[in-house]
């Protein structure tokens, strides 16, 4: 992998990740852009104890542009985009309309391929491996920023999810706090550790799932399963078999096997509802341990957390979406219409030939 860092016309950082070591990235951003001005502010809810990012400048962000005006495609001739070069393998840049900025963190965009009409599932194993390297590198770099406590790499796919740019891409949020979802996991891990005399909760969950009926696919280094208490109709958790707290901890074997396992999982997601409703809208979310202190989680250290990816779709059956209505949105109590065992069975049925 070759990494080349440059700056866009408004001062934002852009980084090329190339498969070839001899790639040259000398193109400059020719757009007449003013400096990016953001109004991001993080406010803490005194009742719930969580945080909300207030970012009014995002109201003016790019919204469903035609394909020939896509800001994530390479620049070509007089059509100038966020990527100055005429081609790329993987590129990462600071979001022009970030939810978090400055002392409130940082937001980045990850473009998986220059092919506008592709998806992550269309990548080769070599390309997917390069995306993993980019995620890992950005996790490392962002963790050293003084305002950052947790790094979150994720992909939203599909208009049903709320995606406003059709080009295959994901995002990275660098939060100035430990997110509520992660805090819940850490509290559960601390309680389990105390009650069992030191047993790791993530290890216990993984052991139970490996012995059960909800495993979707398994390799030497990774296992994907539908969790016992899945919140979403089709939800899969992908774990490395050797517990590590973040992407930086993956060994060479896990890195090498990841593209094959993950691409197969994504391709199965596209087959769940049949060709007429493919591609399947989904969210893919990497859960990593926070880089800040964990004193509030009694007895838990970073190494107790288990890196894993959660992949889920909001489609519950053909032509129908799972909406977060009263119980889910009002009380955070999910109601799942698809038994996890049946979801796992379906994902095994649609395996590649």
């Amino acid at each position: 992998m070759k990494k080349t860092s440059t700056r866009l016309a408004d001062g934002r950082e852009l980084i090329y990740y190339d498969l070839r070591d001899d790639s040259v990235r000398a193109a400059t951003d020719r757009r007449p852009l003013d400096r990016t001005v953001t109004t991001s502010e993080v406010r803490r809810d005194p009742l719930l104890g969580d945080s909300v990012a207030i970012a009014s400048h995002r109201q003016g962000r790019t919204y469903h542009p035609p394909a020939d005006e896509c800001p994530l495609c390479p620049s070509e001739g007089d059509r100038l985009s966020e990527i100055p070069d005429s081609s790329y393998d993987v590129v990462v840049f600071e979001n022009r309309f970030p939810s978090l900025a400055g002392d409130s963190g940082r937001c980045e965009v990850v473009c998986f391929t220059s092919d506008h009409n592709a998806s992550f599932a269309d990548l080769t194993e070599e390309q997917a491996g390069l995306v993993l390297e980019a995620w890992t590198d950005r996790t490392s770099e962002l963790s050293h920023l003084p305002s950052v406590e947790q790094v979150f790499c994720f992909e939203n796919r599909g208009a049903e999810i709320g995606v406003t740019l059709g080009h295959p891409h994901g995002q990275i949020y660098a939060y100035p706090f430990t997110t509520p979802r992660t805090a819940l996991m850490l509290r559960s891990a601390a309680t389990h550790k105390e009650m069992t005399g030191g047993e790791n909760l993530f290890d216990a969950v993984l052991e139970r799932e490996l012995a059960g009926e909800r495993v979707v696919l398994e390799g030497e280094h990774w296992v994907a399963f539908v969790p016992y208490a899945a919140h979403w109709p089709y939800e899969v958790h992908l774990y490395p078999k050797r517990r590590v707290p973040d992407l930086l901890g993956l060994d060479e074997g896990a890195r090498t096997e990841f593209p094959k396992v993950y691409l197969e999982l994504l391709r199965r997601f596209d087959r769940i509802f049949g060709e007429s409703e493919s591609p399947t809208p989904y969210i893919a979310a990497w859960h990593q341990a926070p880089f800040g202190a964990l004193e509030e989680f009694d007895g838990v250290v970073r190494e107790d957390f288990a890196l894993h990816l959660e992949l889920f779709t909001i489609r519950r059956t053909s032509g129908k979406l799972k909406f977060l209505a009263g119980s889910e949105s009002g009380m955070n109590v999910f109601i799942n219409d698809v038994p996890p065992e049946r979801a796992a069975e379906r994902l095994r049925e649609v395996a590649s030939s």
Side-chain angles (χ1 to χ4, degrees), residues 7-237:
R7 293 281 171 180
L8 296 174
D10 55 8
R12 289 175 293 131
E13 185 178 17
L14 180 143
I15 306 160
Y16 294 98
Y17 293 90
D18 285 295
L19 291 168
R20 293 171 55 98
D21 291 335
D22 59 355
S23 297
V24 177
R25 300 298 182 184
T28 59
D29 186 1
R30 294 179 285 133
R31 297 173 298 172
L33 297 180
D34 295 328
R35 279 264 166 195
T36 299
V37 178
T38 63
T39 56
S40 180
E41 175 190 359
V42 174
R43 297 184 182 181
R44 188 168 179 79
D45 186 318
L47 295 180
L48 298 179
D50 59 8
S51 299
V52 177
I54 310 297
S56 60
H57 62 278
R58 284 175 53 79
Q59 285 280 34
R61 65 187 184 276
T62 308
Y63 186 81
H64 292 300
D68 60 357
E69 295 179 17
C70 174
L72 306 185
C73 287
S75 292
E76 184 176 354
D78 293 330
R79 191 188 65 75
L80 306 178
S81 73
E82 289 280 66
I83 296 91
D85 216 322
S86 58
S87 67
Y88 64 84
D89 291 334
V90 173
V91 70
V92 177
F93 60 88
E94 288 184 76
N95 198 322
R96 191 177 179 187
F97 304 96
S99 302
L100 306 165
D103 293 338
S104 297
R106 175 159 159 151
C107 291
E108 298 181 341
V109 176
V110 184
C111 297
F112 303 138
T113 171
S114 60
D115 184 351
H116 180 85
N117 297 312
S119 69
F120 201 116
D122 295 323
L123 301 182
T124 65
E125 290 184 19
E126 186 180 33
Q127 290 173 310
L130 183 61
V131 176
L132 177 62
E133 290 303 310
W135 283 332
T136 305
D137 180 72
R138 297 315 302 152
T139 296
S140 176
E141 292 291 326
L142 293 170
S143 71
H144 290 97
L145 296 180
S147 63
V148 173
E149 189 167 312
Q150 185 173 1
V151 179
F152 176 47
C153 307
F154 65 100
E155 179 192 1
N156 298 328
R157 186 179 76 163
E160 299 94 331
I161 298 293
V163 174
T164 57
L165 296 176
H167 195 103
H169 73 288
Q171 300 179 65
I172 302 175
Y173 277 21
Y175 298 102
F177 51 79
T178 297
T179 60
R181 183 77 176 270
T182 302
L184 283 173
M185 294 185 201
L186 290 169
R187 292 191 189 100
S188 295
T191 299
H192 184 86
K193 191 174 185 178
E194 181 181 6
M195 292 180 63
T196 60
E199 183 181 64
N200 183 277
L201 175 60
F202 294 97
D203 290 351
V205 168
L206 189 57
E207 182 180 359
R208 182 174 78 166
E209 295 294 357
L210 278 167
E213 59 182 314
R214 290 179 296 276
V215 172
V216 174
L217 59 91
E218 182 180 357
E220 180 182 354
H221 301 278
W222 294 86
V223 60
F225 57 87
V226 177
Y228 170 73
H231 289 57
W232 298 93
Y234 290 91
E235 173 182 342
V236 175
H237 293 190

Side-chain angles (χ1 to χ4, degrees), residues 326-351:
S327 186
E328 291 90 351
S329 294
M331 284 293 160
N332 201 29
V333 178
F334 275 67
I335 301 168
N336 190 351
D337 300 329
V338 180
E341 293 73 22
R342 174 54 190 148
E345 182 181 20
R346 177 59 181 157
L347 285 162
R348 289 192 296 268
E349 290 174 350
V350 294

Side-chain angles (χ1 to χ4, degrees), residues 242-274:
R242 184 180 70 88
R243 172 167 43 90
V244 295
D246 52 42
L247 290 165
L248 303 172
L250 293 175
D251 60 24
E252 190 59 32
R255 291 185 181 281
T256 300
E257 187 180 74
F258 171 78
K260 180 178 181 180
V261 174
Y262 188 49
L263 289 171
E264 170 63 17
L265 190 57
L266 292 179
R267 289 162 187 167
R268 291 191 192 190
F269 254 61
D270 278 344
R271 298 188 186 100
I272 296 174
F273 307 104

